[in-house]
Amino acid sequence: MVIGYSGSGKSTICRKLQDRYQLPALHLDAVQFLPGWKIRAKAGQQRIVQTFLNEHPDGWVIDGNYKALSYERRCEEADVIVQLLFGRLDCLSRCLRRYRINKGTNRPDMTEGCDEKIDWEFIRWILWDGRTRQRRGLYRRTQSQFPEKVVVIRNQRQLDRYLRGSSPFPS
């Protein structure tokens, strides 16, 4: 399970872990959005995630926070919970780089018809709105509830070290 701030690299790490461990992956941004950046109905989102979890009881990689989408179940069933808690400016820089690379096209982890974009609303989300006290509290509660399986990564050096490691489990 890969969670963390917008722009921290959740989808990228998800793809790397999917390839490394040959596991099915689900990107929750692709579950939430329909073509044209329209929001899928909550019941449909929940059904997709529940079906995915039910169909892959032996292993999976899921990236995205989305507390309403089986968050507790994902935490309980995950072998590892990777929290990407990069700083605001690092996340903004990564999103701007992602935008330059994917401008006008779909990222591989996003719904078809949701071309890469960046606007002031998203920048505000990256820098402030996506970093609420409630969100930070959720990360802390997850760390205290599942200390044996949470890996907290706060910068690129730690991420590189984690990805070079031979074991996916926290030490």
Side-chain angles (χ1 to χ4, degrees), residues 75-147:
C75 285
E76 289 172 14
E77 293 182 12
D79 294 323
V80 178
I81 303 168
V82 178
Q83 292 184 340
L84 298 177
L85 305 182
F86 284 53
R88 300 168 199 272
L89 296 179
D90 286 335
C91 289
L92 179 60
S93 172
R94 293 163 89 86
C95 281
L96 292 172
R97 186 175 332 120
R98 180 176 76 194
Y99 173 73
R100 282 193 307 274
I101 292 168
N102 297 297
K103 182 179 178 181
T105 64
N106 263 86
R107 297 190 326 246
D109 48 81
M110 184 50 79
T111 303
E112 188 69 33
C114 290
D115 290 350
E116 188 68 20
K117 66 177 186 168
I118 197 155
D119 56 21
W120 289 114
E121 183 180 353
F122 186 50
I123 291 171
R124 181 177 162 166
W125 176 261
I126 295 164
L127 295 177
W128 296 287
D129 295 348
R131 293 171 177 267
T132 62
R133 177 177 292 136
Q134 181 180 354
R135 174 72 48 97
R136 291 188 311 269
L138 176 64
Y139 295 147
R140 281 192 301 273
R141 281 191 303 282
T142 303
Q143 291 166 18
S144 64
Q145 190 174 353
F146 302 98

